[in-house]
Amino acid sequence: MKIKLKLPKISMTMTEATLVKWHKYPGDVFNEDDILYEIETEKIIDQIIANFSGIMLQHLCDEDHEINVGEEVCIVQKNT
């Protein structure tokens, strides 16, 4: 099943973040608890962790790109 992952809201005041670094690239297999990417808000740098296993299919934004909470970040194939 293909899924578009969106930027999660990490804190009550967070409205946007900068995607700092991709850890998984198109074609990479990832497991639950693997780091997918890192974001930076005005307060912290945080790692976005997979909560299921799958394959990274496509990035929808580049590193150093500012994204809004709820904006689509990548497309993954979820393992069933």
Side-chain angles (χ1 to χ4, degrees):
M1 169 188 343
K2 289 184 184 179
I3 300 173
K4 291 182 180 180
L5 299 182
K6 298 179 180 181
L7 177 65
K9 187 170 188 168
I10 304 297
S11 71
M12 294 296 293
T13 59
M14 180 181 159
T15 59
E16 62 189 17
T18 300
L19 194 145
V20 177
K21 179 177 170 66
W22 283 106
H23 285 260
K24 298 297 178 188
Y25 293 90
D28 286 354
V29 173
F30 60 87
N31 296 307
E32 186 174 353
D33 297 327
D34 282 355
I35 301 168
L36 298 177
Y37 58 94
E38 292 179 22
I39 58 168
E40 181 176 9
T41 67
E42 57 188 44
K43 297 181 181 181
I44 60 167
I45 292 181
D46 204 358
Q47 299 172 332
I48 304 302
I49 308 294
N51 57 7
F52 57 83
S53 301
I55 301 169
M56 179 66 68
L57 297 178
Q58 181 181 358
H59 294 167
L60 299 176
C61 61
D62 297 323
E63 291 180 349
D64 297 321
H65 179 78
E66 194 171 280
I67 47 180
N68 295 315
V69 169
E71 186 175 338
E72 295 172 347
V73 177
C74 59
I75 302 172
V76 299
Q77 177 76 37
K78 183 177 181 180
N79 290 348
T80 53

